[in-house]
Each structure stands twice: as structure tokens, then as C-alpha cells.
Amino acid sequence: MSSSITEELKKPYFVSLSGKSLEDNLEMLDRATKCDNVSAIELNVACPNVIGKPIIGYDFEQFATVLEKVFAHPGSKKKPIGIKLPPYFDLPHFEKAAELLNKYPVKFVVSTNTIGNALVIDAEAEQPVIEPKGGFGGLGGGFIKYTALANVRQMRKLLKPTIDVIGAGGIKTGTDAFEFILCGATAVQGMIENDWCRLNEN
């Protein structure tokens, strides 16, 4: 996106990074922090779709290493850095994730990414709807809204006040967004759906 477009829209431009390795993420971080029109950087440690790789946010030893390396990188001093988290389901996991995040100058967290390893079957075709990973993929949208709300609430309780929480997961309406704000979100990520067929007909 050109700087002229971001200036015209007068909106912040966040770049989300999710490489196949720590080295990939550090290289992308280096490049992104050199772009004047990038307002902030989100490091996604929650991607469930990298074949053969564990979700970093669930492997707390690996998570700690990634945070250490990212915040030791000179680029982390140039732009606000946030972390996109996977959904957590057990209180000790919330506490461990928050403990790690509180050690670093994290500006925000995005909670939450998709729930990994969901499977949707096409009964007529008698096969999974998607092909990669044998049909297993991330479950998002309205299906995870209540899990996302719980994650936002827990993270807001456990993180330092200086770390903002951005809510994500099943936000389609103003009421959805307000519920996340009531749970402690400073901002939200939402999906606006359009009926493209109907719009094109008009």
C-alpha cells in the first residue's frame, strides 16, 4: 500500500507477520520497520496453517525464544509491536502467556486467532471442503466468538495496563464490537460481509 493511500485514508496501517521460521519473521520485521507508512506490526504466533510446525503461542518455550529475539531486534524500537495470540482454554495457559508478554515492551495483543484443526466435510462430495492438511484448518468467525470474548477478558485481567487488547473473532455487528469492549478490548478487528452477487446485480 502506498503512503499516499494511507495518508488519504488517515487510518493506521498494521502489517501482520507470520513466517515459516524465526529467521523469516526477523527478516520481515526488519523490512517492515523500514517502511514509513507502516503504523504498527503484528507478529502472529497463532497461525495454525503452517504444515509441520507447532503453533508458537502454545509452545511456551518457543514462544519465549521468539519474544526474546524479536524484542532484541533493532526494528522493535522503531515501530509498535503487537502479538496475535491463539485462543487459550485453560487458566494456567492464560497465565503463562501473560507472564511472558509482560516481560517485554509489547504495545498490544490481538485476541484471538482461529481455533486450529477444525474439519468441515462436504457430504455430497464425500470429502473435506478444503484440501491442505487433509482438510484440517482454522475455525473462525461466529463459531469462536464466545471463546474470543473469554480470551479478551482473561488477557485484560492478566496483562500490564500498558498493553492494549484488540478483540477479534466473530465480530460482524456493532453489538459484537461493544461486547468485546465490555470485556476489556481497546479496539476490535471485524469482518464486514457483502452479498457480492446482489451488489453486482444492482
Side-chain angles (χ1 to χ4, degrees), residues 84-167:
K84 189 163 195 175
L85 298 171
Y88 295 107
F89 303 95
D90 199 12
L91 183 57
H93 296 160
F94 286 109
E95 293 172 339
K96 184 60 178 178
E99 177 187 343
L100 292 175
L101 292 163
N102 284 334
K103 293 179 180 179
Y104 297 94
V106 177
K107 296 299 184 184
F108 63 91
V109 299
V110 178
S111 185
T112 175
N113 199 17
T114 57
I115 297 174
N117 292 311
L119 180 63
V120 179
I121 298 295
D122 184 333
E124 292 187 5
E126 301 181 5
Q127 63 183 26
V129 170
I130 63 174
E131 184 175 345
K133 294 178 64 179
F136 291 90
L139 179 69
F143 296 106
I144 69 163
K145 175 184 167 184
Y146 302 106
T147 295
L149 286 169
N151 273 255
V152 167
R153 172 63 65 85
Q154 289 285 8
M155 283 299 161
R156 183 62 284 153
K157 288 168 59 178
L158 296 168
L159 291 173
K160 297 183 297 186
T162 54
I163 301 177
D164 288 325
V165 179
I166 300 176

Side-chain angles (χ1 to χ4, degrees), residues 25-99:
N25 283 323
L26 293 176
E27 172 65 22
M28 290 189 291
L29 174 64
D30 185 62
R31 295 187 184 190
T33 55
K34 293 176 181 176
C35 296
D36 292 338
N37 57 320
V38 171
S39 305
I41 295 168
E42 171 197 277
L43 177 64
N44 185 348
V45 299
C47 182
N49 298 319
V50 179
I51 298 174
K53 299 289 185 179
I55 294 175
I56 295 171
Y58 289 149
D59 182 346
F60 292 116
E61 184 175 348
Q62 183 184 190
F63 193 6
T65 299
V66 168
L67 290 173
E68 179 184 2
K69 297 295 184 182
V70 165
F71 285 99
H73 190 283
S76 68
K77 312 295 189 297
K78 299 177 182 179
K79 304 281 185 182
I81 305 292
I83 309 294
K84 189 163 195 175
L85 298 171
Y88 295 107
F89 303 95
D90 199 12
L91 183 57
H93 296 160
F94 286 109
E95 293 172 339
K96 184 60 178 178
E99 177 187 343

